[in-house]
Amino acid sequence: MTATQDRQEKSAVSGKRTINLIQAVTEAIAEEMERDSRVVLFGEDVGARGGVFMATAGLQERFGKQRVFDTPLSEASIVGAAVGMAVRGLRPIAEIQFADYMGPGFDQIISQAAKIRYRSAGQFTAPMVIRTPSGGGVKGGHHHSQSPESYYTHTPGLKVVMPSTPYDAKGLLKAALRGEDPVIYFEPKRLYRAAKGEVPDHDYVVKLGEAAVRREGTDLSLIGYGGVMPDLEKAADALGAEGVSVEVIDLRSLVPWDRDRVLSSVQKTGRAVLVSEAPRISNFMGEVAYVIQEQAFDFLTAPVGQVAGFDTPYPYVQDKVYLPGPNRIVAACVQALNY
Amino acid sequence: MIQPFTPEPIRYVAEDGTPVQPLPARYTPELLRELHRLMLQAREFDRKLITLLRQGRTTFYAQSSGMEATQVGLARSIRVGHDWVWPYYRDHTLGLAMGVPMFELISQCLGTNSDTCRGRQMPHHFAAQAQNFVSISSSIASQVPPAAGNAMAQKYLGVDEITVCTFGDGATSEGDWHAGLNMAGAAQAPALFVCENNQWAISTSIREQTASETIHIKAKAYGMPGYYVDGNDIVAVMEVMTAVAEGVRAGQGPALVECLTYRVGSHSNADADAEKHYRTREEVEEWLGRDPITRVEKLLEKLGHPVSAEERAELIARTHREVDEQVLRAEATGQPDWRIIFEDVYADVPDHLRQQEAFLRAEQGGGRA
Ligand SMILES: Cc1ncc(C[n+]2csc(CCOP(=O)(O)OP(=O)(O)O)c2C)c(N)n1
């Protein structure tokens, strides 16, 4: 991977480099494969092709076909095989080409990966990572745009993360691979190249379960994760221009999630607006809202606001209208502020 | 009687256009020319749609160039509008040859108001009620168990329809594929499963896909006959498919037909550089030499009814004109407005969706009353 080497050379001087989110994913995998020979990577088209989004480009050349390989077209086989490998001592990274296609592997995820530790009282465990691009905004229609994270946050035994910056993408993936549990690692595909940011040259991890405060504020807590984060920032800018001080929080991990960070923020601001692009019913943010009202009710000066996708399949035309953009987020904030 | 489980693909016409077994009487020059016309039209449709893609007027396209004989041959072997079809996303040539109007296809690809599916699916995922051509799902092999069910319903209802279900070679690795074939076999339902084996699933070759020598032999495990056909030989495809379809219709239970063919273009526009990444130019060249359209042209020439260069050029020009016209016609109908987000989610609109719709009406304004 000459590109990586180039970047590394530059970094020897600066100590950090600017990369995009997809490069962060590639780097995390490469570095973990380098340091731990148990790490293997497989899925549909991840090998010679380098993944349909090129997230695994160059890895087969570098690590060989034994460690980076294409599988038959079967998500049940991919996830199920990962469970078996993990039980037998490897650290598999299974790529599912689109989160929408986790369906055929769903039973393996919820019946095997999520439960083997519990049902065997820890005699057998499945530390593994399922990586998958998710979310909309790429003109993909419903089969290439869904946000299925709530199916997985609802399943005990799984950890669920979704980064929105290159720094987090790299650090969370490394932490996930070094952990002892199955992790569903969603990659917000519309940020693959759009999200750029600095990563340090040295090895680091981002612990699962800690939210990031993107900006501090005193009037309202704006909380999201994944592909919507740039829209939260835009909304905070717009409100800032009107003199509203918005605190922006990126959850990064959904299971476990950072209750302390969220609650202390809401206790400070008294208002919370929760943003996610997944359909609203049974949306993970419903859980966040519940905990806020349970634990910080006395601090609230307005009902907790929620901006979500609609309770419809994701459409092809009008896909931009479907997504909760900055305007819809601002409107929800204004409602909370004027309550 | 067509033989199942042949070691080599069944063929009638060799690559150079020579018949390798007697052509059945129905393959008159007129019929062969009509099949040639359909295949050439489909090929040019591909070419034009790729241009539309480059112009940014559509966002996704999956070519079937190289696979025309398989799809046209299948279309001409079933009773259109009577039998039912559960296709996959590379089947526009099948659709065209079944008589789905080009305007409908193009409208779907452009997501215009004239799209009978109302812009909800990504391009190249159409549905056509008049042809019983059931809505395409991107999720590989997810159509196979429903196709089995469709066939079971046909048996239950006592109708003489059959169900046709198509898929690529990659699809045969999915659990749904095995579940669907097993179900249809157990139920002895009138289902015709057709594998369009174009030998690549994006960058995964058939050799990496399965250790099985062929796809059609998998039929054995599900208690049905498996047929192996040269998918670039339109005569072979039509002969086998027609005979097998009639057997299925006659109550002999389901069958699997594997058409060995090749996708000469990229997997989709997302993968325009196939040769660079995963396959060799030589392999593509070799298959270009087995082109299904050229093969019929050579056959017609040998039969003394050649397609003249002018005829060919005129046919191509006509297809291009037709596509251009239909594109303009479709684009003139405009884009569906935001309301399409809420309609057709349920048969009756529940309260929470009404509320979300009201929210969006306030935000966006307008919309159909
Ligand atoms: C369940 C599922 N997994 C993955 C994909 C992504 N994908 C789209 S097409 C494709 C390859 C399909 O190959 P094949 O079945 O041989 O059909 P072909 O495209 O070659 O005609 C893949 C992996 C998908 N659409 N659905």
Side-chain angles (χ1 to χ4, degrees):
Chain A
M1 293 236 318
T2 48
T4 311
Q5 279 157 7
D6 278 0
R7 282 194 301 271
Q8 275 164 357
E9 266 160 46
K10 264 181 226 145
S11 66
V13 191
S14 64
K16 52 191 176 198
R17 295 158 294 123
T18 298
I19 59 174
N20 63 32
L21 199 146
I22 202 158
Q23 288 170 314
V25 169
T26 316
E27 286 188 12
I29 299 171
E31 289 174 22
E32 289 308 296
M33 292 190 79
E34 201 69 72
R35 66 177 279 282
D36 185 348
S37 65
R38 296 173 306 166
V39 177
V40 292
L41 166 76
F42 52 91
E44 292 154 16
D45 304 295
V46 300
R49 177 82 181 79
V52 291
F53 290 99
M54 307 309 285
T56 57
L59 295 177
Q60 187 175 65
E61 261 169 35
R62 183 161 161 196
F63 295 101
K65 281 192 170 177
Q66 250 201 314
R67 293 184 71 192
V68 178
F69 56 93
D70 290 331
T71 64
L73 208 177
S74 166
E75 292 72 15
S77 309
I78 295 167
V79 177
V83 172
M85 290 180 198
V87 166
R88 188 58 190 83
L90 298 186
R91 290 281 163 150
I93 307 175
E95 176 175 304
I96 300 295
Q97 204 159 78
F98 285 87
D100 313 69
Y101 301 134
M102 287 166 83
F106 192 68
D107 186 44
Q108 288 299 322
I109 300 174
I110 65 165
S111 302
Q112 293 288 358
K115 299 202 171 60
I116 196 154
R117 174 189 296 276
Y118 191 76
R119 70 177 192 235
S120 72
Q123 298 179 87
F124 303 100
T125 63
M128 56 187 267
V129 176
I130 300 174
R131 290 179 39 239
T132 190
S134 77
V138 297
K139 268 279 171 220
H142 46 263
H143 281 134
H144 299 86
S145 304
Q146 294 169 97
S147 297
E149 55 270 19
S150 301
Y151 292 113
Y152 304 98
T153 59
H154 194 65
T155 302
L158 301 175
K159 289 185 172 173
V160 179
V161 301
M162 190 170 337
S164 75
T165 67
Y167 181 91
D168 288 350
K170 190 168 175 182
L172 284 167
L173 185 48
K174 282 169 164 263
L177 274 165
R178 295 179 197 181
E180 295 301 326
D181 291 304
V183 178
I184 315 287
Y185 180 92
F186 289 104
E187 300 169 9
K189 65 175 97 69
R190 73 171 174 282
L191 300 187
Y192 265 151
R193 288 168 208 287
K196 298 193 178 67
E198 288 184 339
V199 295
D201 297 323
H202 59 80
D203 184 46
Y204 71 99
V205 295
V206 173
K207 195 166 165 257
L208 272 57
E210 287 181 0
V213 179
R214 297 292 177 211
R215 68 171 83 180
E216 293 190 14
T218 51
D219 297 333
L220 182 141
S221 305
L222 192 49
I223 303 165
Y225 59 87
V228 297
M229 286 314 298
D231 293 333
L232 269 69
E233 301 273 5
K234 281 185 204 140
D237 284 342
L239 290 161
E242 303 292 320
V244 181
S245 167
V246 178
E247 181 144 301
V248 178
I249 294 179
D250 183 348
L251 288 180
R252 306 195 288 197
S253 277
L254 306 186
V255 179
W257 67 280
D258 197 340
R259 292 167 163 237
D260 292 346
R261 174 60 72 198
V262 166
L263 289 171
S264 63
S265 176
V266 175
Q267 283 166 6
K268 174 174 66 173
T269 62
R271 298 181 182 89
V273 170
L274 314 178
V275 187
S276 134
E277 66 184 90
R280 185 176 183 129
I281 291 182
S282 303
N283 186 309
F284 177 74
M285 285 305 199
E287 169 67 10
V288 178
Y290 174 78
V291 170
I292 292 173
Q293 73 81 28
E294 182 189 55
Q295 305 281 328
F297 187 76
D298 291 341
F299 297 86
L300 287 174
T301 50
V304 177
Q306 194 180 351
V307 184
F310 298 109
D311 290 309
T312 75
Y314 196 105
Y316 171 71
V317 301
Q318 302 295 347
D319 60 328
K320 291 288 187 307
V321 173
Y322 183 93
L323 283 179
N327 292 346
R328 213 168 281 159
I329 298 169
V330 167
C333 293
V334 168
Q335 203 178 354
L337 291 160
N338 292 341
Y339 182 76
Chain B
M1 263 305 280
I2 308 277
Q3 281 306 309
F5 302 116
T6 53
E8 294 298 322
I10 298 167
R11 54 158 57 175
Y12 279 77
V13 182
E15 265 119 45
D16 67 357
T18 319
V20 293
Q21 55 174 309
L23 291 193
R26 69 167 163 154
Y27 295 93
T28 58
E30 290 68 41
L31 176 61
L32 290 170
R33 292 179 75 116
E34 186 189 337
L35 297 172
H36 172 263
R37 181 180 60 73
L38 285 167
M39 291 198 286
L40 193 58
Q41 187 187 40
R43 173 80 46 98
E44 295 307 315
F45 185 83
D46 266 13
R47 226 191 282 284
K48 288 295 286 181
L49 269 280
I50 302 264
T51 308
L52 284 186
L53 196 64
R54 297 214 175 100
Q55 293 170 342
R57 288 155 95 178
T58 182
T59 59
F60 178 85
Y61 191 70
Q63 306 176 49
S64 60
S65 285
M67 301 164 65
E68 291 89 351
T70 293
Q71 294 189 16
V72 171
L74 171 58
R76 299 301 302 251
S77 309
I78 58 167
R79 302 191 194 171
V80 175
H82 179 79
D83 295 332
W84 283 62
V85 179
W86 289 78
Y88 86 118
Y89 57 79
R90 204 179 290 285
D91 275 339
H92 60 276
T93 294
L94 175 62
L96 277 173
M98 283 174 63
V100 176
M102 196 187 276
F103 179 63
E104 280 186 27
L105 257 164
I106 287 175
S107 296
Q108 197 284 326
C109 286
L110 301 179
T112 52
N113 261 318
S114 48
D115 171 13
T116 53
C117 304
R118 316 212 36 219
R120 296 223 180 77
Q121 283 237 72
M122 69 189 272
H124 217 258
H125 286 61
F126 54 105
Q129 199 174 31
Q131 285 76 20
N132 296 332
F133 192 96
V134 180
S135 176
I136 296 168
S137 160
S138 308
S139 192
I140 305 276
S142 62
Q143 75 277 23
V144 184
N150 193 320
M152 289 160 76
Q154 289 167 330
K155 184 174 177 183
Y156 176 90
L157 295 169
V159 290
D160 75 339
E161 305 161 2
I162 67 166
T163 299
V164 173
C165 177
T166 65
F167 37 81
D169 40 297
T172 66
S173 293
E174 290 280 9
D176 274 354
W177 187 83
H178 297 272
L181 264 75
N182 188 58
M183 184 80 163
Q188 286 296 293
L192 170 56
F193 298 104
V194 179
C195 180
E196 301 182 25
N197 178 2
N198 63 20
Q199 306 189 57
W200 288 92
I202 309 189
S203 69
T204 305
S205 72
I206 183 76
R207 286 292 139 249
E208 296 170 289
Q209 193 66 247
T210 175
S212 181
E213 196 58 43
T214 59
I215 300 296
H216 76 281
I217 59 165
K218 299 187 187 212
K220 227 171 215 161
Y222 302 112
M224 62 181 82
Y227 299 88
Y228 196 23
V229 186
D230 181 334
N232 284 12
D233 175 354
I234 184 113
V235 176
V237 175
M238 265 183 75
E239 274 312 285
V240 173
M241 221 59 103
T242 309
V244 174
E246 289 318 310
V248 170
R249 198 184 308 281
Q252 292 168 11
L256 170 66
V257 181
E258 173 183 6
C259 297
L260 184 67
T261 180
Y262 194 78
R263 136 171 93 69
V264 292
S266 57
H267 166 75
S268 74
N269 52 302
D271 157 63
D273 44 3
E275 273 90 65
K276 198 169 103 206
H277 289 294
Y278 57 81
R279 64 184 192 189
T280 61
R281 192 65 227 163
E282 294 76 66
E283 181 186 296
V284 180
E285 295 291 346
E286 188 189 325
W287 279 91
L288 284 171
R290 301 180 193 171
D291 188 84
I293 299 179
T294 320
R295 199 180 304 187
V296 178
E297 285 171 358
K298 288 181 177 158
L299 172 64
L300 277 164
E301 209 174 288
K302 288 213 157 70
L303 296 176
H305 294 268
V307 181
S308 72
E310 300 80 65
E311 256 179 295
R312 203 174 189 285
E314 162 53 23
L315 191 54
I316 291 172
R318 205 185 328 142
T319 306
H320 288 204
R321 267 199 314 275
E322 196 183 348
V323 174
D324 286 338
E325 278 166 27
Q326 306 303 347
V327 167
L328 291 178
R329 225 183 113 202
E331 283 177 343
T333 66
Q335 261 223 335
D337 72 21
W338 56 266
R339 286 243 187 164
I340 62 109
I341 292 177
F342 300 100
E343 293 161 354
D344 302 312
V345 182
Y346 299 100
D348 47 359
V349 185
D351 263 359
H352 69 283
L353 277 193
R354 276 194 206 292
Q355 279 166 20
Q356 292 176 9
E357 188 177 1
F359 165 85
L360 205 54
R361 189 181 308 117
E363 185 192 83
Q364 301 281 315
R368 287 178 303 281

